[in-house]
Amino acid sequence: MATDAPPPSKETHKLPTTEEFTEVQESAEFGELRRSYRSFAFPLTVGFIAWYLLYVLLSNYAGDFMGTKLFGNINVALVLGLAQFLTTFLIAWWYSRVAAAKFDPKAEAIKSRMEGGA
């Protein structure tokens, strides 16, 4: 099985000690990374779970509403169900863009410093 990945680097990295991990974890830079991640991920997660539970509750307790025909054989339940898939993909796409722009550069800077690269 062939891959396009380059072979592993022969270069060895310094492994951080427990004290270094603790020091980085307590640093302001790491705290800022953790805060920015949490301020993005937690509200988005809560919002999506609420949206999903709304769909489930409507399906169970509002059958007449969910069965309302919008056009042809397309009803509210089908549209909202497909919207669940759409929002899942949109959230994943949005997260990957935000992570690449905000989280990854900060995390890479911390990692390279810990490995002795900076």
Side-chain angles (χ1 to χ4, degrees):
M1 181 159 126
T3 63
D4 292 333
S9 173
K10 303 272 185 203
E11 180 181 317
T12 59
H13 294 285
K14 171 185 128 345
L15 294 176
T17 64
T18 304
E19 292 78 21
E20 289 172 324
F21 273 111
T22 303
E23 182 182 323
V24 167
Q25 184 179 7
E26 293 170 352
S27 72
E29 183 181 23
F30 186 78
E32 174 56 33
L33 173 61
R34 187 173 41 220
R35 265 188 305 282
S36 64
Y37 171 76
R38 287 179 178 173
S39 68
F40 178 80
F42 287 0
L44 203 56
T45 301
V46 169
F48 182 77
I49 289 172
W51 159 231
Y52 174 74
L53 290 175
L54 174 67
Y55 177 73
V56 171
L57 291 172
L58 286 172
S59 295
N60 282 321
Y61 300 111
D64 291 338
F65 170 70
M66 295 296 270
T68 302
K69 298 226 182 224
L70 298 175
F71 48 91
N73 287 330
I74 307 299
N75 61 16
V76 172
L78 179 63
V79 171
L80 292 180
L82 291 174
Q84 290 283 319
F85 286 103
L86 178 64
T87 55
T88 300
F89 290 113
L90 287 175
I91 288 170
W93 171 79
W94 188 22
Y95 174 80
S96 70
R97 300 221 5 156
V98 171
K102 289 185 176 182
F103 310 142
D104 293 349
K106 292 178 185 178
E108 187 59 39
I110 293 170
K111 178 184 171 213
S112 66
R113 242 189 336 278
M114 286 190 74
E115 292 176 344

